Amino acid sequence: TAHPVLDHGFVRVIDYMGDDSAICQAARVSYGRGTKSVSNDEGLIRYLMRHWHSTPFEMCEIKLHVKLPIFVARQWIRHRTANVNEYSARYSILDREFYIPAPEHLAAQSDINRQGRGTTLEGETAARVLEILKADSARAYDNYLTMISDEGQQGLARELARMNLPANIYTQWYWKTDLHNLFHFLRLRADAHAQYEIRAYADVIGQIVAQWVPIAWRAFSDYRLGGAQLSAPEL
Amino acid sequence: TAHPVLDHGFVRVIDYMGDDSAICQAARVSYGRGTKSVSNDEGLIRYLMRHWHSTPFEMCEIKLHVKLPIFVARQWIRHRTANVNEYSARYSILDREFYIPAPEHLAAQSDINRQGRGTTLEGETAARVLEILKADSARAYDNYLTMISDEGQQGLARELARMNLPANIYTQWYWKTDLHNLFHFLRLRADAHAQYEIRAYADVIGQIVAQWVPIAWRAFSDYRLGGAQLSAPEL
Amino acid sequence: TAHPVLDHGFVRVIDYMGDDSAICQAARVSYGRGTKSVSNDEGLIRYLMRHWHSTPFEMCEIKLHVKLPIFVARQWIRHRTANVNEYSARYSILDREFYIPAPEHLAAQSDINRQGRGTTLEGETAARVLEILKADSARAYDNYLTMISDEGQQGLARELARMNLPANIYTQWYWKTDLHNLFHFLRLRADAHAQYEIRAYADVIGQIVAQWVPIAWRAFSDYRLGGAQLSAPEL
Amino acid sequence: TAHPVLDHGFVRVIDYMGDDSAICQAARVSYGRGTKSVSNDEGLIRYLMRHWHSTPFEMCEIKLHVKLPIFVARQWIRHRTANVNEYSARYSILDREFYIPAPEHLAAQSDINRQGRGTTLEGETAARVLEILKADSARAYDNYLTMISDEGQQGLARELARMNLPANIYTQWYWKTDLHNLFHFLRLRADAHAQYEIRAYADVIGQIVAQWVPIAWRAFSDYRLGGAQLSAPEL
Ligand SMILES: Cc1cc2nc3c(=O)[nH]c(=O)nc-3n(C[C@H](O)[C@H](O)[C@H](O)COP(=O)(O)OP(=O)(O)OC[C@H]3O[C@@H](n4cnc5c(N)ncnc54)[C@H](O)[C@@H]3O)c2cc1C
Ligand SMILES: Cc1cc2nc3c(=O)[nH]c(=O)nc-3n(C[C@H](O)[C@H](O)[C@H](O)COP(=O)(O)OP(=O)(O)OC[C@H]3O[C@@H](n4cnc5c(N)ncnc54)[C@H](O)[C@@H]3O)c2cc1C
Ligand SMILES: Cc1cc2nc3c(=O)[nH]c(=O)nc-3n(C[C@H](O)[C@H](O)[C@H](O)COP(=O)(O)OP(=O)(O)OC[C@H]3O[C@@H](n4cnc5c(N)ncnc54)[C@H](O)[C@@H]3O)c2cc1C
Ligand SMILES: Cc1cc2nc3c(=O)[nH]c(=O)nc-3n(C[C@H](O)[C@H](O)[C@H](O)COP(=O)(O)OP(=O)(O)OC[C@H]3O[C@@H](n4cnc5c(N)ncnc54)[C@H](O)[C@@H]3O)c2cc1C
């Protein structure tokens, strides 16, 4: 089942490997006969999370099929500890699908957070922005098709024609990573500093992870997502 | 000095570490007292290249400042063994600079190579394509400015407005990698299968590398770029 | 089932993810509607292997439990694109198990390959070597136990006592990697230049892979293991 | 100049690339014209550290020559985000140099920390332990030489003979990494949970880093080394 995200996107689990008990199984290889004191799985997993013993979490792996706007993909791909196969716009023709924000997500540049958004745009302003985004997407796509079409001419190579398409067009990929690096991704991308649109994906993946490895998820929520860091001077 | 690439792009060396002799120095740590037989640097470097002893090449590092169209950046960033800091379109406003191909690079979809381009477009067809690319870029940028401007209204957040911009707009980044992974990048991106536009960057970087580490470059050219692979059945 | 390797070692598959068809499934995301020409899986996989399209092979993952001498582990761990949890000699006491080579593997330093071994040692010389290895292993282990034992004294910390143990003692770990990097490992470690003892593990893993992903294995055998590289001057 | 560590080890800086201002230079590419508010370097670097903006720290690189006991090397090599060339005991003969702890570092297994050491051993017990370590090292090395010597016989291959040597023998390598991953290494290995012997190296490297990039080092000390993490329930 595909979990819908934004207006045309989705996240779909293709496969996974390991679960909470696989984390413990790997940790117990390390600790050999010496883990009687943390005998139950939940205790062990919370201990590992608290002490940044991250390698046992690398023993779980998940593969997702994701459909996402290109500007989100550009942020996402920066996470290098993953395996990716993306739809090729050199081989294939992209679909006519563009991300158009819902009105409640159309916001002005923030005054306090230099990289984020602030108050929601008002009715008329919002309407004008939506008009522009829709019209420009439509025109860009029409012209894309025109350029690659070969009626009465030779069509422009796809790898060239796609450069006319804006960053809100959708692409898709298979994306596979291990649980430690997925947690790292979620810590950065489910965070308030991340752009709303990638956060929407992170939130859906968070729910998937909570079902897949509930104990590890709780430990992550308590120690990473919900936790706080104090500096030496603050202590 | 910035080496120009395409119509508005460039590659500029910011810094580097190591050279041909640093490769040998590291290799000789491995081989300890045992490298008398390959006593000269050129012989040793060619030996390392021929036998896929890649770790001594990782001992050289280079940092580049690159300006490049987004559709090229999307291919480039797939090389995960590098360090990157890209211009943020969440913080800052992108410049009005778009890649518009020179007429001789406007080509039709290839008949034989499913992902590449074939014969160059003819005059009138080419003219029409250029017209579209220029007009759509200009309009998208005008509307980008309109959306973020705040005359008599609150401007749309930059992180949202930029989604209207097509993939031929220029971005820039600092990109740092080691020589082994740079060779890997060049093997894939200076290759005939790579899209012309990224190849243009790979070719310029190749010239930079040839000046920086001339012996390693020659070994790479002979054994990787110019070499051939035969399969067992072919042997 | 554990596949035995050397005198006390083994390789045991704990889990895997994906198979030949998962490679194709990921590749077809990239190529979208455009892969009709390589419609069958074997053709597609051989095409990917031949053209160094390595990312679809990263979509398969395998997790092994391995028992191996420390000097083999030291070579193995150099492959950084893997996830590892090793038995901790800080927490736990190592078992009294040492690799003692079979007589046919006791060989002299090679005259032609500066890093390898040459002709097999003769009976008496071999016997003397075996005697030394066995006696030193036994004494080192006895003294290890003496040092950590706490009869009438406080035992030395395990993390210190273990430094008395020679490199032929066995350790164990969970080791997880993707198929592309596993092939890379096998190309380097099933090769004639690799030390016999790690090659023994690579060979066993090769058989496991041949069963797991038979089509990918054949492509790898033909294009990487059995293939040859010609340099530009040789062509 | 080589900074001495333990009884025969050292850390020597071979080369480095970048400094505090290189971190800022890279960060300012990201933030474009938008970094007026954090105009001074120290403020910017502390901001990056506090918010886990780690990629600008990857823009600095350092290459060290390190001599270290094998049991320390085995812990160190687990840090995969580095480039390494190690002395080869297949090619070359190892030197007769073994780590023998100073009496004040000979300690018993800890009662409270299952992986660490506790109270220092007393005079006689300590003396006995030192006696064992010295005698076993000496005998192992003598037998190593005997096995590889070829007087009146063919010497055993070096790759085999070295398996007789204990984990306190010294090896050496070139080790290169970027500043972000070096900080990660230091956080884990300068920590009280790390074994004293690797901590000794981490402490020396910490001093080197403090001289190399003093502002980044202070930020790291305040926010990572000296800081504390609170979980959600603790808040
Ligand atoms: C002509 C051409 C066509 C292409 N077409 C497509 C396409 O249609 N769709 C598509 O998605 N991509 C496509 N690519 C991109 C390609 O799949 C690679 O992503 C890209 O070439 C980078 O190669 P790399 O992974 O070897 O490089 P790097 O990412 O620099 O990796 C180098 C090596 O490091 C190791 N490594 C690094 N990071 C990891 C990690 N996280 N996990 C495991 N190992 C790692 C691997 O051994 C890897 O081989 C194409 C590339 C070319 C050259
Ligand atoms: C709110 C926010 C704002 C951002 N703004 C910008 C911006 O303006 N400009 C910009 O360029 N980026 C920006 N980023 C992206 C950011 O710089 C990282 O690229 C991204 O978050 C991925 O993080 P990572 O490198 O830790 O993850 P991964 O790439 O998954 O790496 C995880 C860890 O693995 C190691 N690692 C993996 N690959 C390598 C390698 N090749 N070399 C060395 N170590 C490696 C490192 O220890 C790294 O921390 C932003 C991110 C966020 C969340
Ligand atoms: C006190 C202490 C006790 C320890 N005890 C044990 C033990 O008993 N057993 C044991 O096995 N180990 C043990 N370790 C080692 C530990 O598990 C790590 O291997 C080691 O600390 C390196 O950390 P790292 O993986 O974060 O570093 P790096 O390997 O440098 O990685 C940094 C980051 O890069 C990314 N990364 C790099 N390579 C990969 C990859 N191939 N795949 C995915 N992500 C990658 C990850 O995000 C990672 O967090 C111990 C370490 C410490 C400090
Ligand atoms: C016969 C033989 C003899 C050898 N002799 C020696 C010796 O004398 N001394 C010695 O030190 N080693 C020696 N080695 C080890 C060798 O140098 C490599 O460390 C080992 O083979 C692992 O190869 P790799 O780096 O390609 O694999 P991986 O570490 O798995 O890396 C695969 C690819 O991923 C990328 N990658 C992964 N991690 C990083 C990273 N942190 N930074 C940049 N790129 C990364 C690179 O593209 C790399 O090629 C020997 C190996 C063999 C097979």
Side-chain angles (χ1 to χ4, degrees):
Chain A
T1 64
H3 304 258
V5 193
L6 304 182
D7 51 356
H8 301 292
F10 62 74
V11 173
R12 198 160 61 91
V13 180
I14 298 296
D15 204 354
Y16 57 84
M17 179 191 200
D19 53 15
D20 279 327
S21 71
I23 301 167
C24 297
Q25 188 190 25
R28 293 208 169 96
V29 172
S30 295
Y31 304 154
R33 306 179 196 116
T35 38
K36 269 134 225 159
S37 59
V38 272
S39 51
N40 71 329
D41 281 10
E42 178 129 22
L44 178 54
I45 286 176
R46 293 181 75 82
Y47 173 89
L48 296 170
M49 183 67 74
R50 202 162 59 244
H51 288 85
W52 293 89
H53 285 199
S54 51
T55 53
F57 296 100
E58 294 182 13
M59 289 293 158
C60 294
E61 193 89 13
I62 192 164
K63 182 166 22 172
L64 305 172
H65 181 186
V66 186
K67 189 164 164 193
L68 70 179
I70 281 181
F71 71 93
V72 174
R74 296 233 302 131
Q75 299 180 341
W76 194 313
I77 198 70
R78 294 295 303 276
H79 296 262
R80 296 158 294 182
T81 47
N83 316 107
V84 185
N85 279 103
E86 186 179 351
Y87 188 88
S88 170
R90 300 180 68 202
Y91 276 87
S92 304
I93 300 175
L94 285 160
D95 287 330
R96 186 194 280 273
E97 283 180 320
F98 295 88
Y99 170 61
I100 305 294
E104 66 268 29
H105 294 127
L106 276 186
Q109 186 80 0
S110 169
D111 293 328
I112 46 170
N113 174 353
R114 295 200 52 97
Q115 70 179 329
R117 57 181 96 162
T119 53
T120 307
L121 295 191
E122 275 155 47
E124 211 176 315
T125 319
R128 204 163 359 139
V129 161
L130 286 178
E131 203 41 56
I132 289 177
L133 289 174
K134 281 182 198 162
D136 279 8
S137 299
R139 188 184 299 101
Y141 195 84
D142 288 343
N143 282 331
Y144 168 65
L145 283 190
T146 301
M147 291 191 286
I148 63 180
S149 84
D150 45 16
E151 300 178 51
Q153 58 167 323
Q154 265 212 297
L156 183 65
R158 291 163 186 183
E159 65 180 21
L160 284 169
R162 53 93 176 253
M163 80 167 95
N164 200 55
L165 294 167
N168 61 335
I169 196 166
Y170 276 87
T171 182
Q172 44 181 296
W173 60 34
Y174 271 40
W175 190 72
K176 170 174 155 287
T177 194
D178 64 75
L179 184 58
H180 163 59
N181 285 298
L182 184 56
F183 279 147
H184 182 67
F185 173 88
L186 293 178
R187 182 157 68 106
L188 294 173
R189 302 301 184 176
D191 187 89
H193 292 92
Q195 182 163 353
Y196 161 74
E197 282 75 16
I198 195 167
R199 230 160 57 214
Y201 286 87
D203 288 344
V204 164
I205 295 176
Q207 289 161 32
I208 291 170
V209 173
Q211 287 219 320
W212 171 35
V213 283
I215 300 178
W217 173 257
R218 272 199 300 279
F220 169 69
S221 299
D222 286 349
Y223 291 111
R224 294 285 186 283
L225 280 191
Q229 271 211 322
L230 299 183
S231 73
E234 286 164 336
L235 282 176
Chain B
T1 65
H3 304 258
V5 192
L6 303 181
D7 50 357
H8 300 291
F10 62 74
V11 173
R12 198 160 61 90
V13 180
I14 297 296
D15 204 353
Y16 56 84
M17 180 193 201
D19 54 15
D20 279 328
S21 72
I23 301 167
C24 297
Q25 189 189 25
R28 292 203 170 99
V29 173
S30 295
Y31 304 153
R33 308 183 192 112
T35 39
K36 269 132 224 164
S37 59
V38 273
S39 52
N40 71 331
D41 281 10
E42 177 129 24
L44 177 55
I45 285 176
R46 294 181 75 81
Y47 173 89
L48 296 170
M49 183 66 75
R50 201 162 59 242
H51 288 84
W52 294 88
H53 285 197
S54 49
T55 53
F57 296 101
E58 293 181 13
M59 290 292 158
C60 294
E61 193 88 13
I62 192 163
K63 183 167 20 175
L64 305 172
H65 182 186
V66 186
K67 189 164 163 195
L68 70 179
I70 281 181
F71 71 92
V72 174
R74 296 233 302 131
Q75 298 180 342
W76 194 314
I77 199 69
R78 295 296 302 278
H79 296 261
R80 296 158 293 183
T81 48
N83 315 108
V84 185
N85 278 105
E86 187 178 350
Y87 188 89
S88 170
R90 299 181 70 200
Y91 277 86
S92 306
I93 299 175
L94 285 160
D95 288 329
R96 185 193 281 275
E97 284 180 321
F98 294 88
Y99 169 61
I100 304 294
E104 65 268 28
H105 294 127
L106 276 186
Q109 186 80 359
S110 169
D111 292 329
I112 47 170
N113 175 354
R114 295 201 52 97
Q115 71 179 329
R117 55 182 96 163
T119 53
T120 306
L121 294 190
E122 274 155 47
E124 210 176 317
T125 318
R128 204 161 359 135
V129 160
L130 286 178
E131 203 41 56
I132 290 176
L133 290 174
K134 281 181 198 163
D136 279 7
S137 300
R139 187 183 301 100
Y141 196 83
D142 288 343
N143 283 330
Y144 168 66
L145 283 190
T146 300
M147 291 190 285
I148 62 180
S149 84
D150 45 16
E151 302 176 49
Q153 58 167 325
Q154 263 211 297
L156 182 66
R158 290 163 188 183
E159 65 181 21
L160 283 170
R162 54 95 176 254
M163 81 168 95
N164 201 54
L165 294 168
N168 61 335
I169 196 166
Y170 276 87
T171 183
Q172 43 181 298
W173 60 34
Y174 271 41
W175 189 74
K176 169 172 154 289
T177 195
D178 64 74
L179 184 58
H180 163 59
N181 285 298
L182 184 57
F183 279 148
H184 182 67
F185 174 87
L186 293 178
R187 183 157 66 106
L188 293 173
R189 300 302 184 177
D191 188 87
H193 291 91
Q195 181 163 352
Y196 161 74
E197 281 75 18
I198 195 168
R199 230 161 56 214
Y201 286 87
D203 288 344
V204 165
I205 295 176
Q207 289 160 31
I208 291 170
V209 173
Q211 288 218 320
W212 171 33
V213 283
I215 300 179
W217 173 258
R218 272 199 299 279
F220 170 69
S221 299
D222 287 349
Y223 291 111
R224 294 284 187 284
L225 279 191
Q229 270 211 321
L230 299 183
S231 72
E234 285 164 338
L235 281 176
Chain C
T1 65
H3 304 258
V5 193
L6 303 181
D7 50 357
H8 300 292
F10 62 74
V11 173
R12 198 160 61 90
V13 180
I14 297 296
D15 204 353
Y16 56 84
M17 181 193 200
D19 53 16
D20 280 327
S21 72
I23 301 166
C24 296
Q25 189 191 24
R28 291 204 170 100
V29 173
S30 295
Y31 304 153
R33 308 182 194 111
T35 38
K36 268 132 226 164
S37 59
V38 274
S39 52
N40 70 331
D41 282 10
E42 177 127 25
L44 177 54
I45 286 176
R46 294 181 74 83
Y47 173 89
L48 296 170
M49 183 67 74
R50 200 161 62 243
H51 289 84
W52 294 88
H53 285 198
S54 49
T55 52
F57 296 101
E58 293 181 13
M59 289 291 158
C60 294
E61 192 88 14
I62 193 163
K63 183 166 22 172
L64 305 173
H65 181 186
V66 186
K67 191 166 163 192
L68 71 179
I70 280 180
F71 71 92
V72 174
R74 296 234 302 132
Q75 298 180 341
W76 194 313
I77 199 69
R78 294 297 302 277
H79 296 260
R80 296 157 292 182
T81 47
N83 315 107
V84 185
N85 279 106
E86 186 178 350
Y87 188 88
S88 169
R90 298 180 70 201
Y91 277 86
S92 306
I93 299 175
L94 286 160
D95 287 330
R96 185 193 280 274
E97 284 181 319
F98 294 88
Y99 170 61
I100 305 294
E104 65 269 28
H105 294 127
L106 277 185
Q109 186 78 0
S110 169
D111 293 328
I112 47 171
N113 174 353
R114 293 200 54 97
Q115 72 178 328
R117 56 182 96 162
T119 53
T120 307
L121 295 190
E122 275 156 46
E124 211 175 316
T125 318
R128 203 161 0 137
V129 161
L130 286 178
E131 202 42 55
I132 289 176
L133 290 175
K134 281 182 199 164
D136 279 8
S137 300
R139 186 183 301 101
Y141 195 84
D142 287 344
N143 282 330
Y144 168 65
L145 283 190
T146 300
M147 291 190 285
I148 62 179
S149 84
D150 45 15
E151 302 177 48
Q153 59 169 325
Q154 264 211 297
L156 182 66
R158 290 164 188 184
E159 66 180 20
L160 283 169
R162 54 93 177 256
M163 81 167 95
N164 201 54
L165 294 168
N168 61 335
I169 196 166
Y170 276 87
T171 182
Q172 44 182 296
W173 61 33
Y174 270 41
W175 189 73
K176 170 171 154 290
T177 195
D178 64 75
L179 184 58
H180 164 58
N181 285 299
L182 183 58
F183 278 147
H184 183 66
F185 174 88
L186 293 178
R187 183 158 67 107
L188 293 174
R189 301 303 183 177
D191 187 89
H193 292 91
Q195 182 164 352
Y196 162 73
E197 281 76 16
I198 195 168
R199 230 161 56 215
Y201 285 87
D203 289 344
V204 164
I205 295 176
Q207 288 161 32
I208 290 170
V209 173
Q211 287 218 320
W212 171 34
V213 282
I215 300 179
W217 173 258
R218 272 199 300 278
F220 169 69
S221 299
D222 286 349
Y223 291 110
R224 293 284 187 284
L225 279 190
Q229 270 212 320
L230 299 182
S231 72
E234 285 165 338
L235 281 176
Chain D
T1 64
H3 304 258
V5 193
L6 303 181
D7 50 356
H8 300 291
F10 62 74
V11 173
R12 197 160 62 89
V13 180
I14 297 296
D15 203 353
Y16 57 83
M17 179 192 202
D19 54 16
D20 280 327
S21 71
I23 300 167
C24 297
Q25 189 190 26
R28 293 204 170 98
V29 173
S30 294
Y31 305 153
R33 307 181 196 114
T35 39
K36 269 131 225 164
S37 58
V38 274
S39 51
N40 72 329
D41 282 10
E42 178 129 23
L44 179 54
I45 286 177
R46 293 181 76 82
Y47 173 89
L48 296 170
M49 183 67 74
R50 201 161 60 244
H51 289 84
W52 293 89
H53 285 198
S54 50
T55 53
F57 296 100
E58 294 182 13
M59 289 293 158
C60 293
E61 192 88 13
I62 193 164
K63 183 168 18 174
L64 305 172
H65 181 186
V66 187
K67 189 164 164 192
L68 69 180
I70 281 181
F71 71 93
V72 174
R74 296 234 301 133
Q75 299 180 342
W76 194 314
I77 199 70
R78 294 296 302 278
H79 296 261
R80 295 157 294 181
T81 48
N83 315 108
V84 185
N85 279 104
E86 187 179 350
Y87 189 87
S88 170
R90 299 181 69 200
Y91 275 88
S92 305
I93 299 175
L94 285 160
D95 287 329
R96 184 194 281 274
E97 284 180 320
F98 294 89
Y99 170 61
I100 305 294
E104 66 268 28
H105 294 127
L106 276 186
Q109 186 79 1
S110 169
D111 292 328
I112 46 170
N113 174 353
R114 294 201 54 99
Q115 70 179 332
R117 55 181 95 161
T119 53
T120 307
L121 295 190
E122 275 156 47
E124 210 175 316
T125 319
R128 203 162 0 138
V129 161
L130 286 178
E131 202 41 55
I132 289 176
L133 289 175
K134 281 183 199 163
D136 279 8
S137 299
R139 187 183 300 101
Y141 196 83
D142 288 343
N143 282 330
Y144 168 65
L145 283 190
T146 300
M147 290 191 286
I148 63 179
S149 84
D150 45 15
E151 300 178 51
Q153 59 169 323
Q154 266 213 295
L156 183 65
R158 290 164 187 183
E159 66 181 21
L160 284 169
R162 53 94 176 254
M163 80 168 95
N164 201 54
L165 294 167
N168 61 335
I169 196 166
Y170 276 87
T171 183
Q172 44 182 294
W173 60 34
Y174 271 41
W175 189 72
K176 170 173 155 289
T177 195
D178 63 75
L179 183 58
H180 163 59
N181 284 298
L182 183 57
F183 279 146
H184 182 68
F185 173 87
L186 293 178
R187 182 157 68 105
L188 293 173
R189 302 302 184 178
D191 187 88
H193 292 91
Q195 182 163 353
Y196 161 73
E197 281 75 17
I198 195 167
R199 230 160 58 214
Y201 285 87
D203 288 344
V204 165
I205 295 176
Q207 290 161 30
I208 291 170
V209 173
Q211 288 219 320
W212 172 35
V213 283
I215 300 178
W217 173 258
R218 272 199 300 280
F220 170 70
S221 299
D222 286 349
Y223 292 110
R224 294 282 187 284
L225 279 191
Q229 270 212 322
L230 300 183
S231 72
E234 286 164 336
L235 281 176

